[in-house]
Short mmCIF file of all heavy atoms in Angstrom, two decimals:
data_model
loop_
_atom_site.label_atom_id
_atom_site.label_comp_id
_atom_site.label_asym_id
_atom_site.label_seq_id
_atom_site.Cartn_x
_atom_site.Cartn_y
_atom_site.Cartn_z
N MET A 1 -22.34 15.82 -38.51
CA MET A 1 -21.81 16.57 -37.38
C MET A 1 -21.71 15.68 -36.15
O MET A 1 -20.72 15.72 -35.44
CB MET A 1 -22.73 17.77 -37.13
CG MET A 1 -22.38 18.54 -35.91
SD MET A 1 -21.46 19.96 -36.36
CE MET A 1 -21.50 20.85 -34.86
N LEU A 2 -22.77 14.89 -35.92
CA LEU A 2 -22.77 14.02 -34.75
C LEU A 2 -21.70 12.93 -34.87
O LEU A 2 -21.06 12.57 -33.88
CB LEU A 2 -24.15 13.40 -34.56
CG LEU A 2 -24.31 12.48 -33.36
CD1 LEU A 2 -24.09 13.27 -32.08
CD2 LEU A 2 -25.67 11.83 -33.35
N GLU A 3 -21.51 12.42 -36.08
CA GLU A 3 -20.50 11.37 -36.27
C GLU A 3 -19.09 11.91 -35.98
O GLU A 3 -18.26 11.23 -35.39
CB GLU A 3 -20.57 10.81 -37.70
CG GLU A 3 -21.82 10.03 -37.98
CD GLU A 3 -21.95 8.81 -37.09
OE1 GLU A 3 -20.94 8.11 -36.86
OE2 GLU A 3 -23.07 8.57 -36.61
N GLY A 4 -18.84 13.15 -36.38
CA GLY A 4 -17.55 13.76 -36.08
C GLY A 4 -17.33 13.96 -34.59
O GLY A 4 -16.24 13.71 -34.07
N ALA A 5 -18.38 14.38 -33.91
CA ALA A 5 -18.29 14.57 -32.46
C ALA A 5 -18.07 13.24 -31.75
O ALA A 5 -17.33 13.15 -30.77
CB ALA A 5 -19.55 15.25 -31.93
N LYS A 6 -18.72 12.18 -32.27
CA LYS A 6 -18.51 10.85 -31.68
C LYS A 6 -17.08 10.39 -31.87
O LYS A 6 -16.48 9.81 -30.96
CB LYS A 6 -19.47 9.84 -32.31
CG LYS A 6 -20.87 9.92 -31.77
CD LYS A 6 -21.86 9.04 -32.48
CE LYS A 6 -21.36 7.68 -32.85
NZ LYS A 6 -22.38 6.84 -33.46
N SER A 7 -16.50 10.64 -33.04
CA SER A 7 -15.11 10.25 -33.28
C SER A 7 -14.15 11.01 -32.38
O SER A 7 -13.20 10.44 -31.84
CB SER A 7 -14.75 10.50 -34.74
OG SER A 7 -15.53 9.70 -35.59
N ILE A 8 -14.41 12.28 -32.19
CA ILE A 8 -13.56 13.08 -31.29
C ILE A 8 -13.70 12.58 -29.86
O ILE A 8 -12.71 12.44 -29.13
CB ILE A 8 -13.92 14.58 -31.40
CG1 ILE A 8 -13.49 15.12 -32.76
CG2 ILE A 8 -13.27 15.38 -30.28
CD1 ILE A 8 -13.99 16.51 -33.06
N GLY A 9 -14.91 12.27 -29.44
CA GLY A 9 -15.12 11.76 -28.08
C GLY A 9 -14.47 10.41 -27.86
O GLY A 9 -13.87 10.16 -26.81
N ALA A 10 -14.57 9.52 -28.86
CA ALA A 10 -13.93 8.21 -28.73
C ALA A 10 -12.41 8.35 -28.69
O ALA A 10 -11.73 7.66 -27.94
CB ALA A 10 -14.36 7.31 -29.88
N GLY A 11 -11.87 9.25 -29.49
CA GLY A 11 -10.43 9.48 -29.47
C GLY A 11 -9.96 10.06 -28.15
O GLY A 11 -8.91 9.67 -27.62
N ALA A 12 -10.74 10.97 -27.61
CA ALA A 12 -10.39 11.55 -26.31
C ALA A 12 -10.46 10.51 -25.20
O ALA A 12 -9.67 10.54 -24.25
CB ALA A 12 -11.30 12.73 -25.99
N ALA A 13 -11.40 9.58 -25.32
CA ALA A 13 -11.51 8.53 -24.30
C ALA A 13 -10.32 7.58 -24.35
O ALA A 13 -9.89 7.07 -23.32
CB ALA A 13 -12.81 7.75 -24.49
N THR A 14 -9.76 7.36 -25.52
CA THR A 14 -8.62 6.45 -25.61
C THR A 14 -7.31 7.10 -25.18
O THR A 14 -6.31 6.40 -24.99
CB THR A 14 -8.47 5.87 -27.02
OG1 THR A 14 -8.35 6.95 -27.95
CG2 THR A 14 -9.66 5.02 -27.38
N ILE A 15 -7.29 8.41 -25.04
CA ILE A 15 -6.09 9.09 -24.55
C ILE A 15 -5.78 8.64 -23.12
O ILE A 15 -4.64 8.69 -22.67
CB ILE A 15 -6.25 10.61 -24.65
CG1 ILE A 15 -6.22 11.02 -26.12
CG2 ILE A 15 -5.18 11.36 -23.88
CD1 ILE A 15 -6.48 12.47 -26.37
N ALA A 16 -6.79 8.15 -22.41
CA ALA A 16 -6.58 7.65 -21.05
C ALA A 16 -5.60 6.49 -21.01
O ALA A 16 -4.98 6.24 -19.99
CB ALA A 16 -7.91 7.24 -20.43
N SER A 17 -5.42 5.79 -22.12
CA SER A 17 -4.43 4.71 -22.17
C SER A 17 -3.02 5.26 -21.97
O SER A 17 -2.20 4.62 -21.30
CB SER A 17 -4.52 3.96 -23.49
OG SER A 17 -5.79 3.41 -23.65
N ALA A 18 -2.75 6.41 -22.53
CA ALA A 18 -1.45 7.04 -22.32
C ALA A 18 -1.29 7.45 -20.86
O ALA A 18 -0.21 7.30 -20.28
CB ALA A 18 -1.28 8.24 -23.23
N GLY A 19 -2.35 7.95 -20.27
CA GLY A 19 -2.31 8.30 -18.85
C GLY A 19 -2.09 7.09 -17.97
O GLY A 19 -1.39 7.17 -16.95
N ALA A 20 -2.66 5.96 -18.36
CA ALA A 20 -2.45 4.73 -17.60
C ALA A 20 -1.00 4.28 -17.69
O ALA A 20 -0.43 3.80 -16.70
CB ALA A 20 -3.38 3.64 -18.09
N ALA A 21 -0.40 4.44 -18.85
CA ALA A 21 1.01 4.07 -19.00
C ALA A 21 1.90 4.95 -18.11
O ALA A 21 2.84 4.46 -17.47
CB ALA A 21 1.43 4.19 -20.45
N VAL A 22 1.59 6.22 -18.05
CA VAL A 22 2.34 7.13 -17.17
C VAL A 22 2.13 6.74 -15.71
O VAL A 22 3.06 6.75 -14.90
CB VAL A 22 1.93 8.60 -17.44
CG1 VAL A 22 2.51 9.52 -16.39
CG2 VAL A 22 2.36 9.01 -18.82
N GLY A 23 0.90 6.39 -15.36
CA GLY A 23 0.60 5.98 -13.99
C GLY A 23 1.35 4.72 -13.58
O GLY A 23 1.86 4.62 -12.47
N ILE A 24 1.43 3.75 -14.47
CA ILE A 24 2.17 2.52 -14.18
C ILE A 24 3.65 2.83 -14.00
O ILE A 24 4.31 2.28 -13.11
CB ILE A 24 1.94 1.48 -15.28
CG1 ILE A 24 0.52 0.95 -15.18
CG2 ILE A 24 2.94 0.32 -15.19
CD1 ILE A 24 0.10 0.06 -16.32
N GLY A 25 4.16 3.72 -14.83
CA GLY A 25 5.56 4.13 -14.67
C GLY A 25 5.82 4.79 -13.34
O GLY A 25 6.84 4.54 -12.69
N ASN A 26 4.90 5.62 -12.90
CA ASN A 26 5.04 6.28 -11.59
C ASN A 26 4.98 5.29 -10.44
O ASN A 26 5.73 5.40 -9.47
CB ASN A 26 3.97 7.35 -11.41
CG ASN A 26 4.26 8.60 -12.18
OD1 ASN A 26 5.39 8.86 -12.55
ND2 ASN A 26 3.23 9.38 -12.45
N VAL A 27 4.07 4.32 -10.54
CA VAL A 27 3.97 3.30 -9.49
C VAL A 27 5.26 2.50 -9.40
O VAL A 27 5.79 2.25 -8.30
CB VAL A 27 2.76 2.38 -9.74
CG1 VAL A 27 2.79 1.16 -8.84
CG2 VAL A 27 1.47 3.13 -9.53
N LEU A 28 5.78 2.07 -10.54
CA LEU A 28 7.02 1.29 -10.55
C LEU A 28 8.19 2.11 -10.03
O LEU A 28 9.01 1.61 -9.24
CB LEU A 28 7.31 0.78 -11.96
CG LEU A 28 8.52 -0.11 -12.10
CD1 LEU A 28 8.35 -1.39 -11.29
CD2 LEU A 28 8.77 -0.45 -13.55
N SER A 29 8.28 3.36 -10.44
CA SER A 29 9.36 4.23 -9.98
C SER A 29 9.30 4.43 -8.47
O SER A 29 10.32 4.35 -7.77
CB SER A 29 9.27 5.58 -10.69
OG SER A 29 10.17 6.50 -10.15
N SER A 30 8.12 4.68 -7.95
CA SER A 30 7.97 4.87 -6.50
C SER A 30 8.29 3.60 -5.73
O SER A 30 8.86 3.65 -4.64
CB SER A 30 6.55 5.32 -6.18
OG SER A 30 6.30 6.56 -6.77
N SER A 31 7.91 2.46 -6.31
CA SER A 31 8.21 1.18 -5.66
C SER A 31 9.72 0.94 -5.59
O SER A 31 10.24 0.52 -4.55
CB SER A 31 7.53 0.05 -6.43
OG SER A 31 7.87 -1.19 -5.88
N ILE A 32 10.41 1.23 -6.67
CA ILE A 32 11.87 1.05 -6.68
C ILE A 32 12.54 1.99 -5.69
O ILE A 32 13.44 1.59 -4.95
CB ILE A 32 12.42 1.27 -8.11
CG1 ILE A 32 11.98 0.11 -9.00
CG2 ILE A 32 13.94 1.39 -8.10
CD1 ILE A 32 12.27 0.31 -10.46
N HIS A 33 12.07 3.23 -5.63
CA HIS A 33 12.66 4.19 -4.68
C HIS A 33 12.41 3.78 -3.23
O HIS A 33 13.30 3.92 -2.38
CB HIS A 33 12.12 5.59 -4.92
CG HIS A 33 12.70 6.25 -6.13
ND1 HIS A 33 12.17 7.39 -6.67
CD2 HIS A 33 13.75 5.93 -6.90
CE1 HIS A 33 12.88 7.74 -7.72
NE2 HIS A 33 13.84 6.86 -7.89
N SER A 34 11.22 3.28 -2.96
CA SER A 34 10.92 2.90 -1.57
C SER A 34 11.73 1.68 -1.14
O SER A 34 12.18 1.61 0.01
CB SER A 34 9.42 2.64 -1.40
OG SER A 34 9.04 1.49 -2.11
N VAL A 35 11.93 0.73 -2.03
CA VAL A 35 12.75 -0.44 -1.68
C VAL A 35 14.22 -0.04 -1.53
O VAL A 35 14.92 -0.56 -0.67
CB VAL A 35 12.57 -1.56 -2.73
CG1 VAL A 35 13.58 -2.68 -2.53
CG2 VAL A 35 11.16 -2.12 -2.66
N ALA A 36 14.66 0.91 -2.35
CA ALA A 36 16.05 1.36 -2.24
C ALA A 36 16.29 2.10 -0.92
O ALA A 36 17.36 1.99 -0.32
CB ALA A 36 16.40 2.27 -3.41
N ARG A 37 15.28 2.82 -0.44
CA ARG A 37 15.43 3.55 0.83
C ARG A 37 15.31 2.64 2.05
O ARG A 37 16.00 2.84 3.03
CB ARG A 37 14.38 4.65 0.93
CG ARG A 37 14.65 5.83 0.06
CD ARG A 37 13.52 6.84 0.21
NE ARG A 37 13.79 8.02 -0.58
CZ ARG A 37 14.29 9.14 -0.10
NH1 ARG A 37 14.58 9.23 1.18
NH2 ARG A 37 14.49 10.16 -0.88
N ASN A 38 14.40 1.66 1.97
CA ASN A 38 14.17 0.79 3.12
C ASN A 38 13.91 -0.64 2.64
O ASN A 38 12.76 -1.04 2.46
CB ASN A 38 12.98 1.32 3.92
CG ASN A 38 12.90 0.71 5.29
OD1 ASN A 38 13.65 -0.21 5.61
ND2 ASN A 38 11.98 1.20 6.10
N PRO A 39 14.96 -1.41 2.45
CA PRO A 39 14.79 -2.77 1.91
C PRO A 39 14.01 -3.71 2.84
O PRO A 39 13.46 -4.70 2.37
CB PRO A 39 16.23 -3.27 1.74
CG PRO A 39 17.08 -2.07 1.76
CD PRO A 39 16.37 -1.05 2.57
N SER A 40 13.94 -3.40 4.12
CA SER A 40 13.24 -4.30 5.03
C SER A 40 11.72 -4.27 4.82
O SER A 40 11.02 -5.20 5.23
CB SER A 40 13.56 -3.95 6.49
OG SER A 40 13.08 -2.66 6.79
N LEU A 41 11.21 -3.24 4.18
CA LEU A 41 9.77 -3.14 3.91
C LEU A 41 9.43 -3.52 2.47
O LEU A 41 8.40 -3.10 1.94
CB LEU A 41 9.27 -1.73 4.19
CG LEU A 41 9.28 -1.29 5.66
CD1 LEU A 41 8.84 0.16 5.77
CD2 LEU A 41 8.37 -2.18 6.47
N ALA A 42 10.28 -4.33 1.84
CA ALA A 42 10.08 -4.66 0.43
C ALA A 42 8.78 -5.43 0.20
O ALA A 42 8.06 -5.16 -0.76
CB ALA A 42 11.26 -5.46 -0.09
N LYS A 43 8.45 -6.37 1.09
CA LYS A 43 7.22 -7.16 0.89
C LYS A 43 5.98 -6.29 1.03
O LYS A 43 5.04 -6.41 0.24
CB LYS A 43 7.17 -8.32 1.88
CG LYS A 43 8.13 -9.42 1.54
CD LYS A 43 7.92 -10.62 2.41
CE LYS A 43 8.88 -11.72 2.00
NZ LYS A 43 8.66 -12.94 2.76
N GLN A 44 5.94 -5.43 2.03
CA GLN A 44 4.79 -4.55 2.21
C GLN A 44 4.69 -3.57 1.04
O GLN A 44 3.61 -3.31 0.53
CB GLN A 44 4.90 -3.79 3.52
CG GLN A 44 3.70 -2.92 3.82
CD GLN A 44 3.84 -2.20 5.14
OE1 GLN A 44 4.87 -2.26 5.78
NE2 GLN A 44 2.78 -1.51 5.53
N SER A 45 5.82 -3.06 0.61
CA SER A 45 5.83 -2.12 -0.52
C SER A 45 5.37 -2.81 -1.80
O SER A 45 4.69 -2.20 -2.63
CB SER A 45 7.24 -1.57 -0.70
OG SER A 45 7.31 -0.74 -1.82
N PHE A 46 5.71 -4.09 -1.96
CA PHE A 46 5.28 -4.83 -3.14
C PHE A 46 3.75 -4.96 -3.18
O PHE A 46 3.14 -4.84 -4.24
CB PHE A 46 5.94 -6.21 -3.16
CG PHE A 46 5.57 -7.03 -4.36
CD1 PHE A 46 6.09 -6.73 -5.60
CD2 PHE A 46 4.70 -8.10 -4.24
CE1 PHE A 46 5.73 -7.48 -6.72
CE2 PHE A 46 4.34 -8.85 -5.34
CZ PHE A 46 4.86 -8.54 -6.58
N GLY A 47 3.15 -5.20 -2.03
CA GLY A 47 1.68 -5.27 -1.97
C GLY A 47 1.03 -3.97 -2.38
O GLY A 47 0.03 -3.97 -3.11
N TYR A 48 1.57 -2.86 -1.91
CA TYR A 48 1.03 -1.56 -2.30
C TYR A 48 1.25 -1.29 -3.79
O TYR A 48 0.41 -0.68 -4.45
CB TYR A 48 1.65 -0.44 -1.47
CG TYR A 48 1.24 -0.45 -0.02
CD1 TYR A 48 2.15 -0.16 0.98
CD2 TYR A 48 -0.07 -0.73 0.34
CE1 TYR A 48 1.77 -0.16 2.31
CE2 TYR A 48 -0.47 -0.73 1.66
CZ TYR A 48 0.46 -0.45 2.64
OH TYR A 48 0.08 -0.45 3.95
N ALA A 49 2.38 -1.74 -4.32
CA ALA A 49 2.66 -1.55 -5.74
C ALA A 49 1.66 -2.35 -6.59
O ALA A 49 1.16 -1.84 -7.61
CB ALA A 49 4.08 -1.97 -6.07
N ILE A 50 1.35 -3.58 -6.18
CA ILE A 50 0.37 -4.38 -6.92
C ILE A 50 -1.00 -3.71 -6.88
O ILE A 50 -1.72 -3.68 -7.88
CB ILE A 50 0.31 -5.81 -6.35
CG1 ILE A 50 1.63 -6.54 -6.61
CG2 ILE A 50 -0.86 -6.59 -6.92
CD1 ILE A 50 1.94 -6.72 -8.07
N LEU A 51 -1.37 -3.15 -5.74
CA LEU A 51 -2.64 -2.42 -5.65
C LEU A 51 -2.64 -1.22 -6.59
O LEU A 51 -3.63 -0.95 -7.28
CB LEU A 51 -2.88 -1.97 -4.21
CG LEU A 51 -4.15 -1.17 -3.97
CD1 LEU A 51 -5.38 -2.02 -4.25
CD2 LEU A 51 -4.17 -0.64 -2.56
N GLY A 52 -1.54 -0.51 -6.64
CA GLY A 52 -1.43 0.64 -7.55
C GLY A 52 -1.52 0.22 -9.00
O GLY A 52 -2.19 0.88 -9.81
N PHE A 53 -0.86 -0.89 -9.35
CA PHE A 53 -0.97 -1.39 -10.72
C PHE A 53 -2.40 -1.76 -11.06
O PHE A 53 -2.90 -1.48 -12.14
CB PHE A 53 -0.08 -2.62 -10.92
CG PHE A 53 1.38 -2.32 -11.07
CD1 PHE A 53 2.31 -2.98 -10.31
CD2 PHE A 53 1.82 -1.38 -11.98
CE1 PHE A 53 3.65 -2.72 -10.43
CE2 PHE A 53 3.17 -1.10 -12.12
CZ PHE A 53 4.08 -1.78 -11.35
N ALA A 54 -3.09 -2.43 -10.14
CA ALA A 54 -4.45 -2.88 -10.39
C ALA A 54 -5.40 -1.69 -10.60
O ALA A 54 -6.23 -1.71 -11.50
CB ALA A 54 -4.94 -3.76 -9.24
N LEU A 55 -5.27 -0.68 -9.77
CA LEU A 55 -6.14 0.48 -9.91
C LEU A 55 -5.85 1.25 -11.20
O LEU A 55 -6.78 1.74 -11.86
CB LEU A 55 -6.00 1.40 -8.70
CG LEU A 55 -6.51 0.82 -7.37
CD1 LEU A 55 -6.20 1.76 -6.23
CD2 LEU A 55 -7.99 0.52 -7.46
N THR A 56 -4.58 1.32 -11.57
CA THR A 56 -4.23 2.00 -12.81
C THR A 56 -4.74 1.23 -14.02
O THR A 56 -5.24 1.81 -14.98
CB THR A 56 -2.71 2.20 -12.89
OG1 THR A 56 -2.26 2.86 -11.71
CG2 THR A 56 -2.32 3.02 -14.09
N GLU A 57 -4.62 -0.09 -13.98
CA GLU A 57 -5.12 -0.90 -15.09
C GLU A 57 -6.63 -0.86 -15.17
O GLU A 57 -7.20 -1.01 -16.26
CB GLU A 57 -4.65 -2.34 -14.93
CG GLU A 57 -3.19 -2.54 -15.29
CD GLU A 57 -2.89 -2.22 -16.75
OE1 GLU A 57 -3.72 -2.55 -17.62
OE2 GLU A 57 -1.84 -1.64 -17.01
N ALA A 58 -7.32 -0.66 -14.06
CA ALA A 58 -8.78 -0.53 -14.10
C ALA A 58 -9.17 0.70 -14.91
O ALA A 58 -10.12 0.65 -15.71
CB ALA A 58 -9.34 -0.45 -12.69
N ILE A 59 -8.45 1.77 -14.73
CA ILE A 59 -8.72 2.98 -15.52
C ILE A 59 -8.38 2.73 -16.98
O ILE A 59 -9.10 3.16 -17.88
CB ILE A 59 -7.92 4.17 -14.97
CG1 ILE A 59 -8.37 4.51 -13.55
CG2 ILE A 59 -8.03 5.39 -15.87
CD1 ILE A 59 -9.82 4.91 -13.44
N ALA A 60 -7.31 1.99 -17.23
CA ALA A 60 -6.91 1.70 -18.61
C ALA A 60 -7.95 0.83 -19.32
O ALA A 60 -8.17 0.98 -20.51
CB ALA A 60 -5.55 1.01 -18.63
N SER A 61 -8.60 -0.06 -18.60
CA SER A 61 -9.64 -0.88 -19.23
C SER A 61 -10.97 -0.14 -19.33
O SER A 61 -11.81 -0.48 -20.16
CB SER A 61 -9.83 -2.19 -18.47
OG SER A 61 -10.29 -1.93 -17.16
N PHE A 62 -11.16 0.88 -18.52
CA PHE A 62 -12.37 1.68 -18.58
C PHE A 62 -12.39 2.57 -19.83
O PHE A 62 -13.46 2.82 -20.40
CB PHE A 62 -12.47 2.54 -17.31
CG PHE A 62 -13.71 3.34 -17.19
CD1 PHE A 62 -14.93 2.72 -16.99
CD2 PHE A 62 -13.68 4.73 -17.27
CE1 PHE A 62 -16.10 3.47 -16.88
CE2 PHE A 62 -14.83 5.48 -17.16
CZ PHE A 62 -16.03 4.85 -16.96
N ALA A 63 -11.23 3.02 -20.28
CA ALA A 63 -11.16 3.93 -21.42
C ALA A 63 -11.65 3.30 -22.72
O ALA A 63 -12.48 3.90 -23.41
CB ALA A 63 -9.73 4.46 -21.57
N PRO A 64 -11.19 2.10 -23.12
CA PRO A 64 -11.73 1.52 -24.36
C PRO A 64 -13.22 1.18 -24.25
O PRO A 64 -13.94 1.24 -25.25
CB PRO A 64 -10.92 0.25 -24.57
CG PRO A 64 -9.74 0.37 -23.72
CD PRO A 64 -10.08 1.30 -22.62
N MET A 65 -13.67 0.85 -23.05
CA MET A 65 -15.09 0.58 -22.88
C MET A 65 -15.90 1.84 -23.17
O MET A 65 -16.93 1.79 -23.86
CB MET A 65 -15.37 0.09 -21.47
CG MET A 65 -16.83 -0.23 -21.21
SD MET A 65 -17.16 -0.69 -19.54
CE MET A 65 -16.85 0.81 -18.67
N MET A 66 -15.46 2.98 -22.67
CA MET A 66 -16.16 4.23 -22.94
C MET A 66 -16.09 4.60 -24.42
O MET A 66 -17.06 5.10 -24.99
CB MET A 66 -15.61 5.37 -22.08
CG MET A 66 -15.96 5.25 -20.62
SD MET A 66 -17.72 5.04 -20.31
CE MET A 66 -18.37 6.56 -20.92
N ALA A 67 -14.94 4.35 -25.04
CA ALA A 67 -14.82 4.64 -26.47
C ALA A 67 -15.78 3.78 -27.28
O ALA A 67 -16.39 4.25 -28.25
CB ALA A 67 -13.38 4.41 -26.93
N SER A 68 -15.94 2.51 -26.90
CA SER A 68 -16.88 1.63 -27.59
C SER A 68 -18.32 2.09 -27.38
O SER A 68 -19.12 2.06 -28.31
CB SER A 68 -16.73 0.19 -27.10
OG SER A 68 -15.45 -0.29 -27.38
N LEU A 69 -18.64 2.50 -26.17
CA LEU A 69 -19.98 3.02 -25.91
C LEU A 69 -20.27 4.26 -26.75
O LEU A 69 -21.35 4.39 -27.34
CB LEU A 69 -20.16 3.34 -24.43
CG LEU A 69 -20.39 2.17 -23.50
CD1 LEU A 69 -20.39 2.66 -22.05
CD2 LEU A 69 -21.70 1.50 -23.81
N ILE A 70 -19.31 5.14 -26.81
CA ILE A 70 -19.50 6.37 -27.59
C ILE A 70 -19.67 6.04 -29.07
O ILE A 70 -20.53 6.59 -29.75
CB ILE A 70 -18.33 7.34 -27.38
CG1 ILE A 70 -18.35 7.89 -25.96
CG2 ILE A 70 -18.36 8.48 -28.39
CD1 ILE A 70 -17.10 8.66 -25.58
N SER A 71 -18.88 5.09 -29.57
CA SER A 71 -18.89 4.79 -31.00
C SER A 71 -20.11 3.99 -31.44
O SER A 71 -20.67 4.24 -32.49
CB SER A 71 -17.63 4.02 -31.38
OG SER A 71 -16.50 4.81 -31.15
N PHE A 72 -20.51 2.99 -30.64
CA PHE A 72 -21.51 2.05 -31.12
C PHE A 72 -22.87 2.14 -30.44
O PHE A 72 -23.88 1.79 -31.04
CB PHE A 72 -20.97 0.62 -30.98
CG PHE A 72 -19.71 0.40 -31.75
CD1 PHE A 72 -18.54 0.11 -31.09
CD2 PHE A 72 -19.69 0.51 -33.12
CE1 PHE A 72 -17.36 -0.09 -31.79
CE2 PHE A 72 -18.53 0.32 -33.83
CZ PHE A 72 -17.36 0.02 -33.17
N VAL A 73 -22.94 2.56 -29.22
CA VAL A 73 -24.20 2.55 -28.50
C VAL A 73 -24.98 3.84 -28.73
O VAL A 73 -26.18 3.81 -29.00
CB VAL A 73 -23.99 2.29 -27.00
CG1 VAL A 73 -25.28 2.42 -26.23
CG2 VAL A 73 -23.37 0.93 -26.80
N PHE A 74 -24.30 4.96 -28.64
CA PHE A 74 -24.98 6.24 -28.82
C PHE A 74 -25.12 6.51 -30.31
O PHE A 74 -24.23 7.03 -30.94
CB PHE A 74 -24.21 7.37 -28.14
CG PHE A 74 -24.06 7.19 -26.67
CD1 PHE A 74 -22.83 7.20 -26.06
CD2 PHE A 74 -25.18 6.99 -25.87
CE1 PHE A 74 -22.69 7.04 -24.70
CE2 PHE A 74 -25.06 6.82 -24.51
CZ PHE A 74 -23.81 6.84 -23.93
N ARG A 75 -26.24 6.13 -30.86
CA ARG A 75 -26.50 6.32 -32.29
C ARG A 75 -27.35 7.56 -32.48
O ARG A 75 -28.10 7.97 -31.60
CB ARG A 75 -27.17 5.09 -32.86
CG ARG A 75 -26.36 3.86 -32.69
CD ARG A 75 -26.73 2.85 -33.72
NE ARG A 75 -25.96 1.64 -33.51
CZ ARG A 75 -24.92 1.30 -34.24
NH1 ARG A 75 -24.52 2.08 -35.21
NH2 ARG A 75 -24.28 0.19 -34.01
N SER A 76 -27.28 8.09 -33.67
CA SER A 76 -28.07 9.29 -33.97
C SER A 76 -29.54 8.91 -34.14
O SER A 76 -29.87 7.78 -34.47
CB SER A 76 -27.56 9.96 -35.24
OG SER A 76 -27.76 9.11 -36.34
N GLN A 77 -30.40 9.84 -33.91
CA GLN A 77 -31.84 9.62 -34.02
C GLN A 77 -32.32 9.77 -35.46
O GLN A 77 -33.49 9.62 -35.74
CB GLN A 77 -32.58 10.60 -33.11
CG GLN A 77 -32.28 10.44 -31.64
CD GLN A 77 -32.72 9.08 -31.11
OE1 GLN A 77 -33.74 8.56 -31.50
NE2 GLN A 77 -31.91 8.52 -30.23
N LYS A 78 -31.43 10.09 -36.37
CA LYS A 78 -31.78 10.30 -37.76
C LYS A 78 -32.23 8.97 -38.39
O LYS A 78 -31.53 7.98 -38.33
CB LYS A 78 -30.56 10.84 -38.50
CG LYS A 78 -30.86 11.37 -39.87
CD LYS A 78 -29.57 11.94 -40.44
CE LYS A 78 -29.84 12.75 -41.66
NZ LYS A 78 -28.60 13.29 -42.22
N GLY A 79 -33.39 8.96 -38.98
CA GLY A 79 -33.88 7.77 -39.64
C GLY A 79 -34.68 6.85 -38.74
O GLY A 79 -35.24 5.87 -39.20
N ARG A 80 -34.74 7.12 -37.46
CA ARG A 80 -35.53 6.29 -36.55
C ARG A 80 -36.95 6.82 -36.46
O ARG A 80 -37.16 8.04 -36.46
CB ARG A 80 -34.94 6.28 -35.14
CG ARG A 80 -33.73 5.43 -35.00
CD ARG A 80 -33.39 5.32 -33.53
NE ARG A 80 -32.20 4.51 -33.37
CZ ARG A 80 -31.62 4.31 -32.22
NH1 ARG A 80 -32.10 4.86 -31.13
NH2 ARG A 80 -30.54 3.57 -32.14
N LYS A 81 -37.87 5.91 -36.39
CA LYS A 81 -39.25 6.31 -36.23
C LYS A 81 -39.57 6.44 -34.75
O LYS A 81 -39.21 5.58 -33.96
CB LYS A 81 -40.19 5.29 -36.87
CG LYS A 81 -40.09 5.26 -38.35
CD LYS A 81 -41.09 4.28 -38.92
CE LYS A 81 -41.00 4.24 -40.41
NZ LYS A 81 -41.95 3.30 -41.00
N THR A 82 -40.25 7.50 -34.38
CA THR A 82 -40.67 7.67 -33.00
C THR A 82 -42.17 7.53 -32.94
O THR A 82 -42.89 7.82 -33.89
CB THR A 82 -40.24 9.05 -32.47
OG1 THR A 82 -40.79 10.05 -33.30
CG2 THR A 82 -38.74 9.17 -32.44
N LYS A 83 -42.64 7.06 -31.82
CA LYS A 83 -44.08 6.85 -31.66
C LYS A 83 -44.79 8.12 -31.31
O LYS A 83 -44.40 8.99 -30.72
CB LYS A 83 -44.34 5.79 -30.58
CG LYS A 83 -43.87 4.45 -31.02
CD LYS A 83 -44.22 3.44 -29.96
CE LYS A 83 -43.79 2.05 -30.42
NZ LYS A 83 -44.12 1.02 -29.47
#
């Protein structure tokens, strides 16, 4: 039962990768729209876009880390001796 719950939890944690892909698409779309509306602020807008990409990728790298923790670190207490 615990192994099944761990698999479901790890799978749910990796769904964040799809959310990160959507977030990157939104950042790029907003960047293109802002440059199209006001080309004189392209450099400032590019800096904000890079910040948005970095924050979105941080979430994307956090998801596999949590999936690994769920899968390998949280082990069942079955078979372990306690003092």
Side-chain angles (χ1 to χ4, degrees):
M1 174 100 168
L2 181 63
E3 292 298 318
K6 281 174 41 176
S7 297
I8 290 171
T14 57
I15 290 175
S17 300
V22 170
I24 289 172
N26 284 339
V27 168
L28 183 62
S29 172
S30 297
S31 176
I32 290 171
H33 285 167
S34 68
V35 170
R37 286 178 178 261
N38 195 353
S40 64
L41 292 177
K43 287 188 178 184
Q44 184 179 6
S45 176
F46 181 73
Y48 291 141
I50 293 297
L51 179 64
F53 283 129
L55 293 175
T56 306
E57 284 297 321
I59 297 298
S61 64
F62 184 68
M65 181 184 67
M66 289 307 296
S68 298
L69 283 174
I70 291 169
S71 297
F72 301 116
V73 174
F74 299 125
R75 302 204 182 257
S76 65
Q77 297 296 323
K78 192 177 193 181
R80 284 189 181 176
K81 291 183 180 180
T82 57
K83 292 183 178 182

